[in-house]
Amino acid sequence: METSPIQLAVHSRLLSYGSTESTKLVPASSGNRGKIVCSLRKLELEDMNFSGISRNNDQEAPRRAHRLKALSGSRISLVPSAKRVPTYLFRTDIGCQVKVFVEKTNGKYKVLVEVLPLELSDAHSELVMVWGLFRSDASCFMPLDLNRRGADGKSSTVETPFVQGPSGKVTVELDFEVSLVPFYISFYMKSQLVSDMENSEIRSHRNTNFVVPVGLSSGHPAPLGISFQPDGYVNFALYSRSAKGDIWHAALDCSLPFKTYGYRFKAATSGKGELVLLDPYAKVIRSVIPRQGGSEIRPKYLGELCLEPGYDWSGDVPPSLPMEKLIIYRINVTHFTKDKSSKLPDNLAGTFSGISEKWHHLKDLGVNAMLLEPIFPFDEQKGPYYPWHFFSPGNMYGPSGDPLSVIKSMKDMVKKLHANGIEVFLEVVFTHTAEDAPLMNVDNFSYCIKGSQDMNIQNALNCNYPIVQQMILDCLRHWVIEFHIDGFVFVDASSLLRGFNGEILSRPPLVEAIAFDPILSKAKMIADNWNPLTNDSTENLFPHWRRWAEINMRFCDDIRDFLRGEGLLSNLATRLCGSGDIFAGGRGPAFSFNYIARNSGLTLVDLVSFSNSEVASELSWNCGQEGATTNSIVLERRLKQVRNFLFILFISLGVPVLNMGDECGQSSGGSPAYDARKSLNWNTLKTGFGTQIAQFISFLSNLRMRRSDLLQKRNFLKEENIQWHGSDQSPPVWDDPSSKFLAMTLKADAEVSHTLLSDIGGDLFVAFNGAGDSESVILPPPPTDMVWYRLVDTALPFPGFFDEKGTPVEDELVAYEMKSHSCVLFEAQRLTEIDSSK
């Protein structure tokens, strides 16, 4: 979007929309000749609009005209003084110089205009200063209730005589109340001794008025966003190459009673009107009622003109878990506790505080990391994967929607979860925005990928463009520093590889910068190639620098295929062992984030209940009957399949990722759409299904931790630590599509077996039967002085299908009968352990 120069729109704490009465100046007291004092009678301006200073990074381009022509035409120079008082030096059209000093003292701004008398001819003595005040339009002065006012009653100027002081300097001194700023004072001089009006006026050497800012300055181009300065000013900086200057920046006296701010853009294309846009770097944002008045369109959010509130992080110790130790639970903040069944008060339900109240559910499942679906402000029509902003949590996630309360409640949540050994991850979307997001209007050329519409990519962000890359890095650092976030899952990560024109880069600068950023060095980075725009995933070779993990889509597909009777055994074996086809070459199984069901697509229970043509891409199987049923055989088969999915997820090398609601059979009625997901019904945790599945997940979590030597490995298993079997101990038929049985023995290292055996156990024997018939399984001989204990058989009824202590296998038993569509797990234990357990 091409724009004119940017203006800042700030809103007073005293205001509500619709106020139109103007600021007026009144004489505060009688002053000496050449000195005048102005005070604010009443501040009822809705908008304080003024232009800032832009820095053009393009050295070859001609200087772009500032909207305030008087400023650029006067060639203002800033001269430092001993007291660091801003001093502006002008050259006049008659050759003399004018100095203007602006100083804030005792709650007032003093403006001192000085002309050296030696540089004035006799004809130009007896000077008078003709001045007025304006904010955004130099041609329209603010109404002044002084000695003179314009004929139209809307604009006026004041004539103030210069006086000659003891030092021989000719000066005018003006005092203004602090509550009046920010404004510009525009003036010229005229001689009372020259009758010819044209020759009596003295202006700048470019024949423009002298213009000086009061209560604002040019500020600094960095950092972007707002920053509070030691001198009491707040600095505003915004990147927009489409405007007249790459970085627009201005500083404003922050003692003023302003509450929110935005940037006003005027579209170069006729008919577009003006837009007031949210600062892309705003850390605290407030929801406002969007409306259109005249040619101006109000935004949904404005930045809060305040420091981000401090927080007491004392005692907070991030768990800093090794990646291979993670067990993750994905949560939608609103859906987790919004339902009445959570029994939380209305002001807590569906908020960060709601999670703080229900953290014990995660501990009950054995989870040690929580993954939050995107929490940025978003397009309410399309959902959280269409973000509006990146630097603040959505106000909907806190009590009463107050942004400061939201921020505090999120930090409270993180601190409480950390105290209970649970890490906090965020899903983030940086590859595209909502259709009406501010970035799309701030600078479409820089922030968006060229030709994105041709590639059917809506509002695609140009992530590897330097300024966008910097914004994303700043955002990630902000969440790590201010919110103590432990990791990020980057949705639509394949689009992070795109260049300026949409091409795929082999070494994308953003991905590399994140990998080596020192502030982000302890945060976990996970790439997720699921694209919410198309609701599918794109496979690619993601450049990782041994730093990036990935959500493993192939794991999901291959496990689903096996349990519905499709696919090859070799694919299953590859996923069980940590997906070496993806994560070899410097990473390892800990970089594989495995899942069966996620927050898009079918839920876990729907995955075994629906398989019609509309969900063919889900690789699901309805177990013999579509949808809801009372058929006991179908229901039993579905229950086994749910157990099988969870068992394989936890027994495989890699990081298991659970999805909210799968522990209690949450259904979306067979719809794979994201918006079909419902709030978690806490009552379902008390049903027979919910009770046994939640307990099974807790058992599997404990098993992974207890047998971390085999199930939570950072590196791939050695060849001598794993042995594959068919049902009769013969080698598996890897490439036979009709073969549906696979077994493996995971052998504990000799050193581990010798030192820690009494605590963690010996070898593990695991078998998977994906066929519709039973299978007689020949168990391998256990290690010396050990026997097999059955820990899991997913075909057995609850509560016997899993057992923490296990059931010993009879000595004479050589074969074990596995039912159809089932999995089993045996653990070798010493005879002494068996004797002591009797």
Side-chain angles (χ1 to χ4, degrees):
M1 174 181 181
E2 296 183 359
T3 60
S4 66
I6 306 164
Q7 295 177 314
L8 185 66
V10 269
H11 300 272
S12 169
R13 293 183 186 275
L14 310 177
L15 302 177
S16 61
Y17 283 122
S19 300
T20 58
E21 187 175 331
S22 301
T23 301
K24 299 181 184 293
L25 290 175
V26 296
S29 62
S30 59
N32 296 328
R33 187 171 183 268
K35 180 176 180 178
I36 189 167
V37 180
C38 299
S39 64
L40 180 67
R41 171 183 288 173
K42 188 175 183 182
L43 178 61
E44 289 186 345
L45 280 179
E46 180 183 350
D47 298 320
M48 298 296 201
N49 304 317
F50 51 89
S51 295
I53 306 301
S54 298
R55 185 182 72 176
N56 186 359
N57 291 334
D58 187 356
Q59 301 297 326
E60 301 297 326
R63 183 181 298 275
R64 300 175 180 175
H66 194 283
R67 176 166 182 175
L68 300 175
K69 297 181 180 178
L71 276 176
S72 62
S74 299
R75 293 179 63 86
I76 299 175
S77 300
L78 183 62
V79 180
S81 65
K83 295 183 179 181
R84 307 181 70 87
V85 176
T87 303
Y88 300 88
L89 180 63
F90 297 87
R91 182 157 55 91
T92 71
D93 55 2
I94 63 172
C96 65
Q97 291 186 336
V98 176
K99 289 184 179 179
V100 182
F101 303 86
V102 180
E103 183 177 11
K104 183 181 178 182
T105 57
N106 300 323
K108 294 183 178 181
Y109 274 94
K110 181 174 70 174
V111 178
L112 179 64
V113 182
E114 177 185 293
V115 181
L116 293 179
L118 297 178
E119 299 183 8
L120 294 173
S121 64
D122 292 339
H124 288 93
S125 59
E126 295 294 326
L127 288 178
V128 174
M129 175 175 158
V130 183
W131 59 275
L133 307 180
F134 71 92
R135 287 203 169 93
S136 63
D137 189 349
S139 66
C140 184
F141 289 153
M142 295 160 52
L144 304 176
D145 188 12
L146 286 166
N147 296 330
R148 295 174 178 238
R149 55 188 291 127
D152 58 3
K154 295 184 178 179
S155 63
S156 61
T157 59
V158 180
E159 294 186 3
T160 305
F162 280 83
V163 297
Q164 186 168 351
S167 62
K169 295 180 179 179
V170 178
T171 62
V172 166
E173 183 178 329
L174 305 174
D175 286 348
F176 300 94
E177 296 290 341
V178 171
S179 54
L180 179 61
V181 297
F183 61 82
Y184 293 95
I185 181 169
S186 173
F187 68 92
Y188 65 91
M189 300 173 292
K190 71 177 181 179
S191 173
Q192 294 180 326
L193 299 180
V194 180
S195 58
D196 182 1
M197 181 176 294
E198 182 177 351
N199 293 326
S200 68
E201 295 180 351
I202 303 174
R203 301 180 187 270
S204 77
H205 71 294
R206 292 191 176 183
N207 197 30
T208 60
N209 280 13
F210 307 100
V211 180
V212 174
V214 179
L216 67 148
S217 67
S218 62
H220 308 283
L224 292 174
I226 63 170
S227 54
F228 290 80
Q229 309 298 312
D231 61 2
Y233 275 58
V234 58
N235 189 76
F236 300 83
L238 173 73
Y239 180 90
S240 179
R241 195 173 185 182
S242 297
K244 294 183 178 179
D246 287 355
I247 298 181
W248 182 98
H249 50 94
L252 172 68
D253 187 341
C254 62
S255 64
L256 303 174
F258 297 132
K259 185 174 184 180
T260 56
Y261 74 100
Y263 293 101
R264 175 174 285 113
F265 286 74
K266 183 176 181 180
T269 305
S270 60
K272 291 278 188 170
E274 292 184 339
L275 300 173
V276 177
L277 300 177
L278 174 67
D279 180 0
Y281 270 76
K283 307 302 191 302
V284 183
I285 66 173
R286 184 169 294 277
S287 303
V288 296
I289 300 174
R291 68 177 178 86
Q292 183 168 355
S295 62
E296 179 182 282
I297 300 176
R298 298 281 182 187
K300 293 182 179 179
Y301 302 96
L302 287 173
E304 190 89 2
L305 201 57
C306 67
L307 282 168
E308 190 170 359
Y311 185 79
D312 181 12
W313 284 106
S314 59
D316 180 64
V317 180
S320 299
L321 298 170
M323 201 122 70
E324 64 272 16
K325 302 293 184 181
L326 293 174
I327 300 174
I328 297 178
Y329 184 82
R330 188 198 306 266
I331 281 180
N332 177 289
V333 177
T334 301
H335 290 172
F336 188 56
T337 60
K338 189 67 173 179
D339 192 85
K340 293 292 184 182
S341 61
S342 70
K343 297 182 179 180
L344 293 179
D346 290 343
N347 64 325
L348 298 183
T351 67
F352 295 125
S353 299
I355 295 176
S356 297
E357 293 293 321
K358 293 288 190 178
W359 64 269
H360 56 82
H361 178 61
L362 280 67
K363 293 296 288 186
D364 291 344
L365 293 175
V367 167
N368 56 24
M370 178 184 68
L371 172 60
L372 294 180
E373 290 184 16
I375 58 169
F376 301 157
F378 60 87
D379 183 338
E380 292 83 356
Q381 300 299 319
K382 292 192 173 182
Y385 293 95
Y386 295 82
W388 236 81
H389 190 63
F390 301 112
F391 282 86
S392 64
N395 294 340
M396 63 186 297
Y397 300 124
S400 70
D402 176 69
L404 298 181
S405 298
V406 173
I407 290 172
K408 182 181 183 303
S409 64
M410 181 176 177
K411 293 178 179 179
D412 288 341
M413 177 198 70
V414 172
K415 189 174 183 179
K416 174 168 279 191
L417 292 173
H418 281 180
N420 289 280
I422 299 174
E423 294 193 345
V424 180
F425 294 178
L426 297 184
E427 275 192 332
V428 291
V429 183
F430 290 121
T431 55
H432 61 272
T433 69
E435 290 184 11
D436 55 351
L439 281 179
M440 297 299 103
N441 294 304
V442 167
D443 186 352
N444 189 277
F445 175 82
S446 297
Y447 286 102
C448 297
I449 292 179
K450 295 179 181 179
S452 60
Q453 298 298 326
D454 298 334
M455 296 183 293
N456 294 320
I457 304 174
Q458 299 177 350
N459 309 308
L461 285 181
N462 195 354
C463 296
N464 289 295
Y465 191 76
I467 194 66
V468 185
Q469 174 183 326
Q470 186 62 45
M471 180 193 71
I472 295 173
L473 287 170
D474 288 341
C475 178
L476 295 172
R477 293 166 186 153
H478 172 71
W479 288 102
V480 168
I481 294 171
E482 297 297 331
F483 290 85
H484 290 203
I485 296 302
D486 303 288
F488 301 91
V489 173
F490 293 76
V491 176
D492 192 20
S494 59
S495 293
L496 296 177
L497 312 182
R498 294 187 181 276
F500 300 168
N501 299 301
E503 74 279 14
I504 299 298
L505 305 176
S506 60
R507 191 167 184 168
L510 174 62
V511 176
E512 183 173 7
I514 291 173
F516 294 103
D517 188 90
I519 296 177
L520 305 176
S521 61
K522 293 184 179 180
K524 299 172 177 71
M525 301 295 168
I526 305 102
D528 182 0
N529 289 322
W530 175 68
N531 185 344
L533 299 174
T534 58
N535 197 26
D536 61 12
S537 299
T538 304
E539 279 196 58
N540 56 55
L541 294 176
F542 197 87
H544 54 80
W545 287 277
R546 300 186 178 183
R547 179 79 170 82
W548 284 82
E550 296 181 47
I551 299 290
N552 192 345
M553 178 187 66
R554 290 193 205 172
F555 178 92
C556 172
D557 291 348
D558 287 341
I559 303 306
R560 289 184 181 188
D561 263 343
F562 174 75
L563 289 181
R564 70 179 184 140
E566 304 288 342
L568 299 175
L569 294 181
S570 57
N571 294 337
L572 172 64
T574 300
R575 305 306 154 219
L576 292 170
C577 293
S579 298
D581 56 336
I582 303 173
F583 299 101
R587 289 190 284 181
F591 289 82
S592 175
F593 280 56
N594 303 330
Y595 72 97
I596 297 297
R598 57 179 301 153
N599 55 346
S600 65
L602 294 178
T603 65
L604 180 58
V605 73
D606 287 351
L607 197 62
V608 300
S609 305
F610 297 90
S611 53
N612 57 69
S613 58
E614 294 181 1
V615 294
S617 62
E618 294 290 318
L619 307 181
S620 58
W621 178 45
N622 63 18
C623 297
Q625 188 169 331
E626 188 73 5
T629 182
T630 57
N631 187 312
S632 58
I633 296 176
V634 172
L635 291 174
E636 179 185 350
R637 190 177 298 138
R638 289 178 179 178
L639 181 59
K640 284 195 297 181
Q641 288 291 74
V642 169
R643 296 172 178 177
N644 292 338
F645 274 124
L646 292 170
F647 177 76
I648 295 176
L649 177 65
F650 277 80
I651 210 73
S652 301
L653 291 184
V655 176
V657 181
L658 294 166
N659 199 60
M660 181 190 78
D662 285 342
E663 71 272 28
C664 56
Q666 196 90 342
S667 172
S668 59
S671 172
Y674 173 82
D675 56 11
R677 296 300 172 100
K678 304 172 184 177
S679 294
L680 180 64
N681 186 342
W682 289 81
N683 292 331
T684 57
L685 289 168
K686 302 174 184 178
T687 64
F689 180 93
T691 298
Q692 65 168 288
I693 296 302
Q695 290 183 14
F696 188 42
I697 292 173
S698 178
F699 162 80
L700 293 171
S701 298
N702 291 331
L703 174 68
R704 279 183 66 88
M705 290 184 285
R706 183 173 67 83
R707 295 310 311 265
S708 60
D709 61 315
L710 292 175
L711 303 180
Q712 290 183 328
K713 298 183 68 67
R714 191 168 187 85
N715 299 314
F716 291 106
L717 289 165
K718 300 176 183 177
E719 186 174 352
E720 59 266 24
N721 290 123
I722 187 168
Q723 185 174 357
W724 300 102
H725 315 280
S727 59
D728 57 356
Q729 288 296 300
S730 61
V733 185
W734 295 113
D735 298 325
D736 183 0
S738 64
S739 181
K740 305 302 176 189
F741 180 89
L742 181 66
M744 65 179 182
T745 302
L746 300 178
K747 299 181 179 180
D749 287 332
E751 182 179 349
V752 173
S753 298
H754 179 72
T755 58
L756 299 176
L757 189 58
S758 59
D759 295 325
I760 63 175
D763 296 352
L764 296 178
F765 177 78
V766 194
F768 313 90
N769 183 15
D773 299 318
S774 298
E775 191 79 42
S776 182
V777 183
I778 305 298
L779 275 68
T784 305
D785 298 330
M786 305 183 79
V787 296
W788 291 115
Y789 260 44
R790 189 191 69 221
L791 301 184
V792 176
D793 184 342
T794 60
L796 296 177
F798 177 73
F801 77 92
F802 66 93
D803 189 344
E804 194 78 43
K805 293 182 179 180
T807 302
V809 174
E810 299 177 6
D811 293 343
E812 63 273 12
L813 182 65
V814 178
Y816 183 88
E817 184 180 0
M818 285 186 66
K819 300 295 184 181
S820 63
H821 306 293
S822 67
C823 302
V824 296
L825 168 65
F826 295 86
E827 181 181 40
Q829 297 184 13
R830 290 189 181 278
L831 289 171
T832 54
E833 296 176 39
I834 299 174
D835 294 337
S836 63
S837 65
K838 293 180 178 179

